[in-house]
């Protein structure tokens, strides 16, 4: 398979894995990927995952790539809090939740961070569609719970203040009934106490 054929086969792919390529040509040799990188046709994201060099790296595209290179996973934590405009700061790196072990990848296009969770807590994400593609991201309620679940040191007024959660956006977008429905599925008493303390703080802020 020459590059013209490669481009034709994978023109609709956001990120292309070596496995994708092998499905088309079982005996494909990886040295061609090195050659195409040297010529500037493609870029390596991480080992065995590539994108076309002319791909526009929008937020949506990076989220889809994050889902693909470490699966199963969905965008959550700081990145999702920023996506929903709950926190004012721009976020360094793309944070996700996965049932696989905690891991991170530093690449030329972005840094990707994954925090592990139990399989029974891998829920509460939405499939967002864009331009014929899609990515998985925690709902606004689930990203809050993921964040508190994995950051057990966030538990008192000073900690809540440091998060700088946008109060108006929080009460406009977060559905408390859904938040508690998801919270009950965690079945963690300490998490429930911290969420209740956080909600009391937000109501009195």
């Amino acid at each position: 398979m020459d590059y013209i054929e490669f481009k034709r086969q994978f023109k609709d792919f956001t990120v292309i894995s070596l496995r994708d390529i092998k499905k088309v040509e079982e005996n494909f040799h990886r040295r061609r990927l090195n050659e195409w990188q040297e010529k500037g046709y493609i870029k390596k994201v991480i080992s065995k995952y590539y994108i076309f060099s002319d791909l526009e790296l929008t937020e949506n595209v990076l989220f889809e790539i994050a889902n693909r290179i470490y699966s199963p996973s969905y965008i959550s934590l700081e990145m999702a809090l920023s996506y929903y405009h709950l926190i004012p700061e721009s976020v360094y790196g793309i944070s996700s939740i996965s049932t696989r072990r905690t891991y991170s990848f530093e690449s030329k296009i972005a840094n990707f961070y994954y925090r592990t969770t139990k399989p029974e807590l891998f829920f509460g994400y939405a499939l967002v569609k864009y331009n014929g593609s899609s990515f998985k991201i925690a709902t606004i309620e689930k990203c809050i719970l993921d964040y508190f679940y994995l950051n057990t040191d966030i538990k008192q007024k000073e900690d809540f203040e440091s998060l700088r959660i946008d109060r108006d956006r929080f009460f406009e977008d977060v559905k408390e009934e859904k938040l508690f429905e998801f919270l009950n599925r965690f079945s963690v008493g300490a998490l429930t106490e911290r969420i209740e303390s956080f909600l009391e703080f937000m109501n009195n802020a």
Side-chain angles (χ1 to χ4, degrees), residues 85-97:
H85 305 291
L86 285 178
I87 56 176
E89 296 85 358
S90 57
V91 176
Y92 176 77
I94 298 172
S95 52
S96 300
I97 291 291

Side-chain angles (χ1 to χ4, degrees), residues 5 22 41 50 68 82 86 105 119 169 201:
E5 178 62 15
K22 294 281 191 179
Y41 298 158
Y50 303 84
R68 279 289 314 278
S82 176
L86 285 178
F105 300 102
R169 177 77 67 170
F201 164 79

Side-chain angles (χ1 to χ4, degrees), residues 154-155 160 183 188-200:
I154 305 294
K155 54 188 175 183
F160 303 148
L183 178 60
V188 178
L191 176 62
T192 299
E193 289 178 11
R194 289 189 292 121
I195 290 296
E196 288 176 344
S197 295
F198 172 67
L199 289 175
E200 182 180 355

Side-chain angles (χ1 to χ4, degrees), residues 77-205:
L77 306 170
E78 294 88 350
M79 191 72 254
L81 292 173
S82 176
Y83 176 83
Y84 291 117
H85 305 291
L86 285 178
I87 56 176
E89 296 85 358
S90 57
V91 176
Y92 176 77
I94 298 172
S95 52
S96 300
I97 291 291
S98 177
T99 54
R100 297 169 68 180
R101 68 187 178 96
T102 294
Y103 206 73
S104 64
F105 300 102
E106 293 187 3
S107 78
K108 292 181 178 178
I109 68 167
N111 294 328
F112 302 92
Y113 303 96
Y114 301 85
R115 297 286 300 275
T116 189
T117 196
K118 300 173 184 177
E120 58 266 32
L121 298 181
F122 193 84
F123 70 90
Y125 54 85
L127 187 67
V128 177
K129 296 183 179 181
Y130 75 98
N131 297 337
S133 295
S134 62
F135 61 85
K136 297 188 291 292
I137 186 168
T139 64
I140 193 168
E141 295 84 6
K142 186 55 160 49
C143 76
I144 292 167
L145 295 174
D146 285 341
Y147 186 84
F148 276 87
Y149 178 69
L150 292 172
N151 292 278
T152 56
D153 56 326
I154 305 294
K155 54 188 175 183
Q156 55 191 11
K157 180 180 177 182
E158 292 76 13
D159 305 322
F160 303 148
E161 287 176 341
S162 69
L163 295 178
R164 299 172 65 197
I165 299 289
D166 185 313
R167 185 177 182 277
D168 292 337
R169 177 77 67 170
F170 181 88
F171 285 110
E172 181 180 338
D173 294 344
V174 175
K175 296 178 175 62
E176 193 167 313
E177 182 180 347
K178 189 173 184 180
L179 183 73
F180 277 97
E181 176 192 338
F182 286 171
L183 178 60
N184 288 336
R185 293 178 64 175
F186 278 78
S187 298
V188 178
L191 176 62
T192 299
E193 289 178 11
R194 289 189 292 121
I195 290 296
E196 288 176 344
S197 295
F198 172 67
L199 289 175
E200 182 180 355
F201 164 79
M202 292 298 288
N203 277 303
N204 295 310

